[in-house]
Amino acid sequence: TLLEFRPKTNPGSPKFSANIGIGTALIEAVKSISKEIGCTRLWLITTNDNINAIRFYQKCGFKLVAV
């Protein structure tokens, strides 16, 4: 099953700010829902040069398994 979310864009909407907990809340929601529906593994991909993303995902409990 593939789930997709595409928010509606609004040219007048405010820009997102970093470090206010939105990403963490989203990851936690995905982890919670995945557990509820019986998933045993979450897998994500980011580019090798995106150190901030890698650090963030590791802080959220993800482990680096391949480079």
Side-chain angles (χ1 to χ4, degrees):
T1 301
L2 175 65
L3 302 174
E4 182 177 358
F5 173 72
R6 291 186 182 202
K8 294 180 181 178
T9 57
N10 179 354
S13 63
K15 298 198 182 271
F16 290 107
S17 297
N19 300 318
I20 61 172
I22 294 172
T24 301
L26 289 170
I27 292 291
E28 291 304 316
V30 167
K31 288 166 68 174
S32 176
I33 292 167
S34 299
K35 190 174 182 178
E36 286 175 16
I37 63 173
C39 289
T40 58
R41 177 185 294 180
L42 290 176
W43 189 278
L44 63 84
I45 299 172
T46 188
T47 57
N48 295 338
D49 62 345
N50 195 342
I51 303 301
N52 289 333
I54 293 168
R55 189 176 298 125
F56 168 71
Y57 293 130
Q58 287 176 325
K59 186 179 102 176
C60 290
F62 288 87
K63 295 179 181 159
L64 186 64
V65 295
V67 177

